[in-house]
Amino acid sequence: MSTPVVAVTGATGRLGGRVARRLSAAGVAQRLVVRDAARAPDLPGASVAVAEYGDGPAGRAALSGVGTLFMVSASESPDRAAEHRTFVDSAVAAGVERIVYISFYGASPDATFAHARLHWETEEYLRSTGLATVMLRDNLYLDFLPALMGEDGVIRGPAGDGRLSAVAQDDIADAAAAVLSDPARHDGKVYDLTGPEELTMTEVAAILTAHLGRQVRYVDETLEQAYASRAHYGAPQWEVDAWVSTYTAVAAGEMAGVSPDVADLAGHPATTLAELLARG
C-alpha cells in the first residue's frame, strides 16, 4: 500500500469511526491515529498509529507522511485546548499540509456554550500555522437528544423557548468523508453542519413522546435550578458549566439556524429527529 494521505483521529469513537468506515468503503487509504491500537477498527486500506494529543513526539511520528489530517477534538478536560495545540504543532512538524477540524456551530470567543469558545481557540491556532484548513462546525448531536431526558421522562434545562438545529452523527460523517475524498477543493472553507429543522426543547419532548409512546416533557429551569439539579453528579465545576451552557446557548438563539451544508456536501437531505428515532 502506498503511504496514506489521510490520517483519521477518533476512529475508536462514534464520529471518527463512522468517518473511517466511509473512507475505507470508498477506497481511501488512511492512517488511524488512536490511543489504544487494540481498539482500532480493522478496516481495509487502513494502517494504525498510536499517539495521544498531548504527546508531541508520538504525534509527529504518527503523522509522518500524512497529507491531510482529520482532527476530532480531544476528550473534554481542563487541558483540552493545550492538547489541541500540541497535536497541531505535531502535525506542522510532521509536514502535514491540511487539517480538517471538527469544530462547533457558532464557535466564537464570546459564545455562550463553553466548548464553542474552546473550539474557536483551536480554530484560531490552526489558522496561525499557515496550513490549509477546513472547519466543520457541527451543531449538537441529534443522536444525543434522547439522553437529555431523565428516567422520569423530563428534559430539564434553562433553554427557554430557544431553538436548536441538532445534526445526526451519520450526516456529519457523510459530509466529512466527502470533504476528505477531495480535500483540496475545500481549503479555507467553514461549513455549518446542522439538521433540517429548528426545534425547541418542548418540540423535542413531543417527538420523543410520539416515538416512545409515553409522556416526555420539558421543564424550563432557572440557572440556579439547573446547577442544583446537576449537583448530585459530583462533576467538576468546568464540566457542569459546560452542561448548563448547552441550554443557555439554546436560549440565546446560538444553536438555531438551518444550513444547507450537509445536503450540499453529503448529497442527501439532513436527517430529522423523527427519522433518526425511527431508524432505531
Side-chain angles (χ1 to χ4, degrees):
M1 185 187 304
S2 61
T3 301
V5 294
V6 176
V8 174
T9 66
T12 61
R14 290 172 293 184
L15 181 58
R18 282 173 163 86
V19 172
R21 289 192 294 273
R22 283 159 171 76
L23 293 180
S24 178
V28 177
Q30 59 185 316
R31 183 178 301 165
L32 308 180
V33 181
V34 298
R35 289 178 293 177
D36 180 359
R39 295 183 58 222
D42 183 11
L43 298 173
S47 60
V48 176
V50 176
E52 296 190 6
Y53 277 12
D55 186 337
R60 287 193 296 276
L63 297 175
S64 176
V66 166
T68 296
L69 165 63
F70 176 66
M71 182 176 171
V72 178
S73 60
S75 300
E76 295 175 5
S77 78
D79 302 320
R80 182 154 70 149
E83 291 175 356
H84 283 182
R85 290 192 295 270
T86 298
F87 194 62
V88 170
D89 289 345
S90 297
V92 172
V96 170
E97 300 171 359
R98 172 187 304 100
I99 297 181
V100 179
Y101 177 63
I102 293 290
S103 185
F104 193 82
Y105 189 72
S108 74
D110 56 356
T112 300
F113 182 38
H115 293 312
R117 297 193 295 272
L118 178 141
H119 283 293
W120 173 257
E121 291 179 27
T122 301
E123 284 191 9
E124 288 292 277
Y125 196 74
L126 282 164
R127 294 184 182 101
S128 75
T129 65
L131 299 183
T133 61
V134 185
M135 310 301 181
L136 301 180
R137 292 179 172 177
D138 58 56
N139 205 299
L140 285 180
Y141 290 158
L142 197 66
D143 316 59
F144 179 67
L145 295 188
L148 299 179
M149 177 183 62
E151 292 183 1
D152 58 357
V154 178
I155 299 173
R156 293 179 173 85
D161 294 324
R163 296 183 175 274
L164 74 159
S165 48
V167 60
Q169 289 174 329
D170 278 329
D171 289 348
I172 300 169
D174 287 345
V179 169
L180 293 167
S181 295
D182 187 11
R185 189 165 67 87
H186 303 277
D187 285 349
K189 299 292 182 60
V190 177
Y191 293 110
D192 290 327
L193 305 184
T194 75
E197 55 189 353
E198 300 173 296
L199 300 173
T200 66
M201 288 297 176
T202 299
E203 291 169 342
V204 169
I207 294 169
L208 288 171
T209 294
H211 173 71
L212 296 172
R214 64 185 179 91
Q215 184 65 38
V216 179
R217 62 192 180 94
Y218 167 60
V219 173
D220 185 27
E221 294 181 311
T222 65
L223 274 177
E224 183 178 350
Q225 289 170 333
Y227 278 95
S229 66
R230 289 156 177 78
H232 70 280
Y233 291 107
Q237 187 64 41
W238 65 267
E239 190 167 18
V240 180
D241 288 342
W243 290 345
V244 173
S245 69
T246 305
Y247 291 90
T248 54
V250 173
E254 296 174 20
M255 301 280 199
V258 171
S259 165
D261 289 346
V262 163
D264 290 346
L265 290 170
H268 62 74
T271 306
T272 67
L273 178 56
E275 289 169 343
L276 180 72
L277 296 171
R279 292 174 187 169

